Amino acid sequence: MTFEPPRQRDRRTVPYVLVVVGTDVHRFDRLVGWLERWHADRPGVRLVLQYGHSRPPALPEATPFLGHEELQRAMAEATLVVSHGGPATITEARRTGHLPIVVPRDPTHDEHVDNHQQLFSRRLGAAGMVRLCESEAELVAALDEGLADPARFVLAADPGRPDPRAEAVARVGAVIDDLVARRVRQRAGGRRG
């Protein structure tokens, strides 16, 4: 399937939700199911789902993968961006002016090898850098809120800041550094005892 993001004129009349689950080899069928159920009641919303290695969804606009340029165009045009808990995808969504709605992969559902996406996403959620959704009800509420008032999910530009992209990358990097340092301390502490 060739992905075509909506033209700018469509953005004003047709709400457009872009969902990106990344390229990890683990399936994210739980999120796919949540989105299928949500979209069934909202046929007027354009939902584009990059589903990776998950099961192909029963949605009209689904693609396993998007190239980097396609992803950039899609994010730039989207009304809302939903992301897995991957740092790169979250950073890209923020760079394009979105407060991303983030659903971290859960290793207890075999969606990833460990809980780093949950830890990272929770940290960003607490800092107000993402809208964290760890349940179907939270995701539905965030999507409906975002469609009712898209401005709540747009990052405000601050002309006094030298480069908002660099600041976003630095903030995400600081969170990653802190999480890695904690993990190292936990592992070192476990070896002593």
Side-chain angles (χ1 to χ4, degrees):
M1 162 180 160
T2 301
F3 171 74
E4 291 291 330
R7 290 180 171 72
Q8 186 65 29
R9 63 180 166 74
D10 294 338
R11 188 175 184 188
R12 288 174 278 174
T13 58
V14 177
Y16 168 31
V17 176
L18 172 68
V19 181
V20 181
V21 304
T23 59
D24 188 89
V25 297
H26 295 86
R27 295 165 61 113
F28 205 175
D29 294 344
R30 184 171 56 108
L31 178 57
V32 170
W34 293 355
L35 292 163
E36 287 171 326
R37 287 188 288 278
W38 176 81
H39 192 256
D41 295 331
R42 296 154 188 87
V45 175
R46 181 176 186 206
L47 176 63
V48 173
L49 171 57
Q50 178 271 312
Y51 61 90
H53 294 282
S54 304
R55 68 171 173 80
L59 293 166
E61 292 189 76
T63 184
F65 300 101
L66 293 170
H68 184 72
E69 288 182 20
E70 287 177 307
L71 180 61
Q72 296 304 304
R73 281 194 314 271
M75 282 189 178
E77 292 297 323
T79 307
L80 299 173
V81 174
V82 178
S83 170
H84 66 119
T89 307
I90 291 170
T91 300
E92 285 298 313
R94 290 182 54 84
R95 188 185 68 74
T96 57
H98 294 281
L99 176 70
I101 298 168
V102 174
V103 181
R105 290 171 176 267
D106 184 341
T108 65
H109 295 284
D110 296 321
E111 296 165 352
H112 219 308
V113 296
D114 62 22
N115 66 343
H116 77 274
Q117 282 202 3
Q118 293 170 310
L119 296 173
F120 180 69
S121 300
R122 288 172 186 157
R123 191 69 194 273
L124 293 180
M129 296 175 68
V130 302
R131 173 69 175 268
L132 177 63
C133 299
E134 295 193 78
S135 71
E136 184 173 3
E138 289 172 329
L139 177 62
V140 167
L143 288 168
D144 289 346
E145 178 185 330
L147 292 176
D149 187 3
R152 296 187 70 176
F153 290 84
V154 173
L155 296 177
D158 182 352
R161 291 184 182 161
D163 184 353
R165 291 176 291 189
E167 181 184 340
V169 170
R171 288 181 72 190
V172 169
V175 170
I176 292 170
D177 289 345
D178 183 52
L179 289 172
V180 169
R182 285 182 188 194
R183 179 72 68 143
V184 169
R185 286 192 304 268
Q186 287 173 347
R187 287 184 179 163
R191 287 187 211 141
R192 291 182 194 150

